[in-house]
Amino acid sequence: MKKEMFKVLTGVVSIAVLLSACGSKGSESTSTASPAASAAATTKVEQLAPVELIWNYPLSAIPQDMASVQEAVNKITKAKINATVKLQPQTFADYVQKMNTTTASGENYDIAWVSNWNWDYVTNQSKGAFIPLDDLMAKYAPTLGKSMPQFVWDATKIGGKVYGIPNYQTVTNKQGFLIQKKYADKYNLDVNSIKKIEDLEPFLAKVKAGESKDVVPFLMDRVGRFGNMFRGYGLESIASVIGVDLKNPDKVINLYDTPQYAQYLDLAKSWHDKGYINDSAATLKNKADIEKTGNAVVQVHNVLKPGVETQFKTANGGNDVIAIPTTEVWAGTGSIITTMQAISKTSKNPERAMMFINLLNTDKELYNTISFGVEGKHYTKNADNTIKINKEAGYVPNASWVFGNTFNGLLVEGTDPNVVANTQKENETAKPSPLMGFKFANTAVTAEIANIATVLDQYRPGLETGTMAASDKLKEFQDKLKAAGVDKVIAEAQKQLDEWKKTK
């Protein structure tokens, strides 16, 4: 029954995708705006007092020419909502620390990017970092709810309220590998033979033997890649250290005390010792530092969405990449709340912040400016309406999915023109998670979560990059997790999961 209901819901996506892409009305809204609300949303610009909004968000690397883009963004927002926007990007590696410091100090800002994997949406909402958005949406963005299907909004709700606006894109995950094509061709890689991570070893061995020391056969940074491979190992995460084995999704477990984790660590150690993994992995904060040189041969990725090859060609120094999926297409709460915008409780202008978020999702000019830069400087349009990126102009796009509704985006040259249709198909046919809609509220175990985070940061970089041997440190790591309170977190999550199941 759940699966059939999911198909009904996801069937709405194809309509929403097409309608959001052309600016028309889509599926049912989360709320219906009154005439008065609609009038408020269309207040004349000259009646609005000028304000400055502060927007925090992460990128793989900070573009050099932020100034030109900020000027272009502000030209649009000044004309449409009488607001200027101070863009404050951080690298993904630094974003959690930056935002934790910002919120702890009570520093004023208006909008922040949030997710379930970097500066956690549910955790920070439970700390009171964000304001509920339902009323603001109805009054200042009455058409925003219609730009996405209802099940997307349902996945964002906490206690029945929306605290984050999804950056609508694919709502699915698909795990696998991104491999530079020139190396795959050179060493005659049979892509059809890659069904699991272990199948890569013969290819990695050839790359290691045949290339210079600057070439990295298997790229990792300090967070390792276990977290990107849960589905391939038959696991699903709930929060940081806890999740379920999909063979028994009713039972909450410690993901770092599983046979799958031990299996991954043994492989990582073997590959590190053989020189397949970069020596800097345990201390490397940002893999883009190596990626952009074009020297990364294989990477793990868990969102192999349609068009991903073009996205990562740019990130890999302009070199073609091949995507090799190793799992089915699936969807869950986590694949929906993976990229969102929230409004801070410290915002002095939440109404204008909502107007700006509305523009990010409905105004193609604004979305494409923040995603790709200034036309004629950072990119040019081709005859087929795709765009050519000027790599030397100082604003190379690396994460357009951070900003807003991706279906309003221009297509970079080389992108499959069927990418929208293919995304629709994946959204419609994705296998639903058995935990679809479940979100763990960690309010009762915040101290334990903080202690666990410290332990994870101490042990994961060394273990998960293969720098440290599991035989030396795994038991110590697991003991430290127990001392930090992982069993209490598991018990709390199990209680919430059992209660949630009663509502299904």
Side-chain angles (χ1 to χ4, degrees):
M1 179 65 183
K2 294 179 191 175
K3 186 171 182 179
E4 293 306 312
M5 179 60 70
F6 181 81
K7 287 180 178 178
V8 170
L9 291 171
T10 51
V12 181
V13 176
S14 61
I15 300 172
V17 167
L18 290 172
L19 296 178
S20 64
C22 64
S24 301
K25 292 182 180 180
S27 59
E28 222 174 79
S29 171
T30 55
S31 57
T32 302
S34 66
S38 297
T42 56
T43 300
K44 292 182 179 179
V45 174
E46 57 267 25
Q47 295 177 323
L48 298 171
V51 301
E52 180 186 61
L53 301 173
I54 300 172
W55 181 21
N56 292 298
Y57 58 88
L59 294 172
S60 297
I62 309 303
Q64 294 177 336
D65 190 16
M66 286 297 304
S68 294
V69 175
Q70 179 155 308
E71 182 181 354
V73 165
N74 286 338
K75 184 178 179 181
I76 298 168
T77 57
K78 185 74 175 173
K80 296 192 173 183
I81 60 172
N82 201 17
T84 56
V85 185
K86 184 177 181 181
L87 306 177
Q88 294 194 157
Q90 303 288 329
T91 65
F92 283 107
D94 294 331
Y95 191 67
V96 171
Q97 181 178 350
K98 160 66 178 175
M99 293 310 301
N100 283 344
T101 301
T102 296
T103 53
S105 66
E107 180 182 331
N108 173 64
Y109 70 93
D110 297 283
I111 303 164
W113 179 89
V114 294
S115 75
N116 61 330
W117 59 276
N118 188 315
W119 208 52
D120 188 75
Y121 170 55
V122 177
T123 298
N124 287 288
Q125 185 279 332
S126 71
K127 295 177 181 178
F130 316 130
I131 62 173
L133 304 179
D134 305 78
D135 292 342
L136 286 171
M137 283 176 61
K139 191 171 184 180
Y140 298 101
T143 64
L144 181 57
K146 301 173 185 178
S147 69
M148 297 173 234
Q150 185 64 40
F151 78 92
V152 172
W153 293 109
D154 290 342
T156 73
K157 290 181 180 179
I158 301 175
K161 293 184 179 295
V162 171
Y163 290 85
I165 306 299
N167 298 312
Y168 190 43
Q169 51 163 347
T170 175
V171 295
T172 68
N173 278 176
K174 182 169 53 177
Q175 182 191 301
F177 308 103
L178 292 166
I179 301 178
Q180 278 204 46
K181 186 177 185 300
K182 63 181 180 181
Y183 295 108
D185 291 344
K186 182 176 180 179
Y187 296 105
N188 299 312
L189 175 65
D190 178 7
V191 297
N192 295 319
S193 70
I194 308 301
K195 306 298 183 184
K196 57 186 185 301
I197 188 170
E198 289 83 0
D199 296 336
L200 288 167
E201 179 145 8
F203 172 65
L204 298 177
K206 290 178 183 178
V207 172
K208 176 63 180 176
E211 300 297 326
S212 71
K213 64 179 181 179
D214 293 330
V215 174
V216 178
F218 193 88
L219 180 62
M220 282 199 194
D221 55 23
R222 71 185 305 271
V223 298
R225 285 297 170 267
F226 184 64
N228 297 94
M229 298 171 62
F230 286 148
R231 197 71 176 188
Y233 282 115
L235 302 170
E236 183 163 336
S237 174
I238 291 176
S240 66
V241 72
I242 61 172
V244 298
D245 189 312
L246 292 171
K247 292 179 180 178
N248 183 13
D250 295 334
K251 181 181 179 182
V252 180
I253 60 173
N254 175 357
L255 295 169
Y256 301 100
D257 191 9
T258 59
Q260 293 97 319
Y261 189 57
Q263 178 185 346
Y264 166 86
L265 294 185
D266 287 343
L267 182 70
K269 178 61 177 170
S270 172
W271 284 9
H272 183 274
D273 290 351
K274 292 174 182 176
Y276 304 156
I277 296 170
N278 45 304
D279 287 334
S280 63
T283 57
L284 182 65
K285 284 188 175 182
N286 190 359
K287 66 185 180 68
D289 293 341
I290 293 176
E291 192 177 46
K292 66 186 178 183
T293 67
N295 288 328
V297 179
V298 180
Q299 297 186 61
V300 174
H301 207 277
N302 64 334
V303 190
L304 294 181
K305 60 186 179 181
V308 71
E309 295 92 344
T310 302
Q311 174 190 339
F312 277 88
K313 176 179 180 177
T314 302
N316 279 269
N319 296 302
D320 288 330
V321 299
I322 301 169
I324 304 178
T326 56
T327 68
E328 79 283 11
V329 181
W330 61 281
T333 303
S335 65
I336 294 171
I337 65 171
T338 188
T339 172
M340 312 171 74
Q341 310 293 344
I343 296 179
S344 170
K345 69 175 181 181
T346 66
S347 175
K348 297 176 182 177
N349 298 286
E351 299 87 358
R352 210 71 60 87
M354 177 54 69
M355 291 182 189
F356 175 65
I357 293 174
N358 183 54
L359 287 179
L360 284 172
N361 285 276
T362 59
D363 188 282
K364 293 182 180 181
E365 182 185 12
L366 177 61
Y367 176 77
N368 285 301
T369 298
I370 189 65
S371 295
F372 302 110
V374 179
E375 183 179 356
K377 180 177 185 180
H378 301 116
Y379 72 89
T380 55
K381 281 189 178 179
N382 299 319
D384 63 357
N385 213 35
T386 62
I387 62 172
K388 179 180 178 63
I389 304 299
N390 181 357
K391 299 173 186 174
E392 309 303 322
Y395 198 81
V396 177
N398 56 57
S400 58
W401 46 268
V402 164
F403 302 123
N405 189 326
T406 62
F407 294 111
N408 287 327
L410 296 164
L411 294 182
V412 177
E413 62 181 356
T415 303
D416 182 350
N418 297 313
V419 65
V420 171
N422 291 338
T423 301
Q424 294 171 19
K425 182 177 179 181
E426 289 199 352
N427 284 349
E428 292 167 3
T429 60
K431 182 178 180 180
S433 161
L435 303 183
M436 175 66 82
F438 176 68
K439 290 182 286 294
F440 173 55
N442 65 14
T443 310
V445 288
T446 52
E448 288 77 13
I449 292 291
N451 292 337
I452 286 168
T454 300
V455 176
L456 293 176
D457 189 62
Q458 179 182 355
Y459 286 91
R460 283 186 62 194
L463 283 169
E464 294 190 22
T465 60
T467 308
M468 297 190 309
S471 58
D472 295 334
K473 292 293 182 178
L474 179 56
K475 186 178 185 306
E476 181 180 316
F477 174 39
Q478 292 169 342
D479 288 345
K480 288 287 184 70
L481 287 174
K482 283 186 173 292
V486 68
D487 290 337
K488 183 176 178 181
V489 175
I490 290 172
E492 176 63 24
Q494 187 68 62
K495 181 178 73 173
Q496 292 184 28
L497 180 60
D498 292 342
E499 289 298 314
W500 174 79
K501 283 166 53 186
K502 293 176 183 178
T503 69
K504 298 295 106 183

